Amino acid sequence: MSRDRADRVAAWATGVGIGLIAFMLTWLIGNRLIGLIWPPPVGPTVALAGAVVTGGAVAVVWGRRLTRR
């Protein structure tokens, strides 16, 4: 039983790591592109919000996907 739990924890930890990578890539690229459209208080805030949503969604999707394996 503990082996299954350890595998689930490892799967979710991997999913969170992938989500953090997606967060960083979205933040870097999104901040550059959105910064061209909107000036500084709005542009970085919109880019950060988009990066948080993207990173969270990727973490949940990959965590569930890896848990099933």
Side-chain angles (χ1 to χ4, degrees), residues 41-62:
V42 177
T45 304
V46 170
L48 181 64
V52 168
V53 170
T54 302
V58 168
V60 169
V61 167
W62 275 98

Side-chain angles (χ1 to χ4, degrees), residues 27 30-31 34-50:
W27 167 247
N31 192 31
I34 294 175
L36 296 173
I37 298 170
W38 286 309
V42 177
T45 304
V46 170
L48 181 64

Side-chain angles (χ1 to χ4, degrees), residues 14-39:
T14 304
V16 169
I18 294 169
L20 288 172
I21 292 170
F23 168 81
M24 287 303 298
L25 289 174
T26 305
W27 167 247
L28 289 171
I29 296 168
N31 192 31
R32 293 277 181 172
L33 295 177
I34 294 175
L36 296 173
I37 298 170
W38 286 309

